[in-house]
C-alpha cells in the first residue's frame, strides 16, 4: 500500500505518461501525490545556449551568452510550473490530494533527497532508454534514482521515437 507517491516529471513527452501512471496508482491506493520538476542546466534545451562567445584573454561567457542562458532558464522554469499546475489541478479535480514543487539542482540527487524529506513510499519516474556510451556520457536520472532512492521506484519506459 502506498500513501505518498513522488512523481518526478520533466518537460518531455514522457511526463504525461509518467503522470497518468502515477495518477492511476493514486486512484487505486488513495495515496497523496507530490509532483516534482527539477530545473537543471542539464535539462533538454537549456545547455544549447551555453556557448563560449568570447575567446580573448579569458575564455568564458560573454554578456549575450549569459542573457540567452538566463532567458532560456526562465522559459523552462515557467513551462515547468505550467505543467505542474495543470497536472495538479487534474488530480485534485479527481479528489486526489496533490501538491507540486519545482526545485533546482542535479535531478537524481534532488529527487532522492526530496523523497527522503517528504517520506515518500514510492517514486514514479520515466526512462528514455539511453544505453551504452550515451548513458555513460550524459548519465541516467532514472538509474541514479533506482540506486539511491530511500524507497521503492517505479520506472516508466518511454516508447518514443528513439526507442523503436
Amino acid at each position: 500500500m502506498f500513501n505518498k507517491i513522488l512523481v518526478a516529471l520533466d518537460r518531455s513527452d514522457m511526463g504525461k505518461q509518467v503522470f497518468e501512471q502515477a495518477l492511476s496508482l493514486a486512484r487505486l491506493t488513495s495515496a497523496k501525490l507530490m509532483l516534482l520538476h527539477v530545473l537543471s542546466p542539464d535539462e533538454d534545451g537549456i545547455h544549447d545556449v551555453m556557448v563560449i562567445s568570447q575567446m580573448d584573454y579569458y575564455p568564458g561567457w560573454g554578456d549575450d551568452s549569459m542573457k540567452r542562458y538566463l532567458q532560456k532558464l526562465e522559459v523552462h522554469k515557467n513551462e515547468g510550473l505550467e505543467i505542474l499546475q495543470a497536472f495538479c489541478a487534474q488530480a485534485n479535480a479527481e479528489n486526489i490530494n496533490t501538491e507540486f514543487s519545482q526545485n533546482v539542482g542535479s535531478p537524481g540527487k534532488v529527487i532522492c533527497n526530496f523523497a527522503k524529506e517528504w517520506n515518500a513510499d514510492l517514486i514514479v519516474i520515466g526512462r528514455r532508454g539511453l544505453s551504452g556510451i550515451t548513458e555513460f556520457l550524459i548519465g541516467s536520472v532514472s538509474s541514479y534514482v533506482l540506486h539511491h532512492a530511500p524507497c521503492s521506484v517505479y520506472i516508466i519506459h518511454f516508447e518514443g521515437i528513439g526507442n523503436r
Side-chain angles (χ1 to χ4, degrees):
M1 184 71 103
F2 301 113
N3 295 313
K4 298 174 91 175
I5 301 172
L6 177 62
V7 187
L9 299 166
D10 63 13
R11 297 171 30 264
S12 72
D13 294 337
M14 179 178 35
K16 178 107 174 116
Q17 290 179 341
V18 171
F19 172 72
E20 291 296 333
Q21 290 284 329
L23 190 61
S24 294
L25 283 170
R27 280 187 208 113
L28 291 171
T29 62
S30 300
K32 294 180 183 178
L33 291 180
M34 174 61 75
L35 310 179
L36 176 64
H37 175 247
V38 181
L39 194 58
S40 166
D42 299 330
E43 191 170 9
D44 288 344
I46 292 180
H47 61 276
D48 295 346
V49 297
M50 295 172 65
V51 295
I52 296 174
S53 64
Q54 296 178 350
M55 290 298 287
D56 293 334
Y57 292 106
Y58 304 103
W61 286 32
D63 290 343
D64 289 342
S65 293
M66 183 59 79
K67 285 178 188 173
R68 282 194 308 273
Y69 175 76
L70 292 173
Q71 289 169 346
K72 192 70 160 179
L73 194 62
E74 187 67 20
V75 167
H76 283 241
K77 175 185 168 191
N78 292 334
E79 288 175 355
L81 286 172
E82 288 173 13
I83 290 166
L84 290 169
Q85 290 168 342
F87 287 158
C88 188
Q90 181 182 341
N92 283 320
E94 294 187 34
N95 293 318
I96 295 171
N97 187 347
T98 305
E99 299 175 69
F100 67 86
S101 180
Q102 181 168 256
N103 297 22
V104 176
S106 174
K109 289 179 182 178
V110 170
I111 292 164
C112 290
N113 289 338
F114 197 101
K116 184 177 181 180
E117 292 170 13
W118 190 62
N119 293 316
D121 301 310
L122 178 69
I123 298 171
V124 178
I125 188 168
R127 179 180 184 275
R128 291 193 180 126
L130 301 177
S131 62
I133 192 72
T134 305
E135 184 174 8
F136 176 75
L137 291 174
I138 68 172
S140 166
V141 174
S142 60
S143 179
Y144 181 93
V145 170
L146 182 63
H147 291 94
H148 295 90
C151 60
S152 296
V153 178
Y154 177 38
I155 298 177
I156 312 293
H157 184 76
F158 183 60
E159 296 295 333
I161 294 169
N163 298 321
R164 292 187 181 150

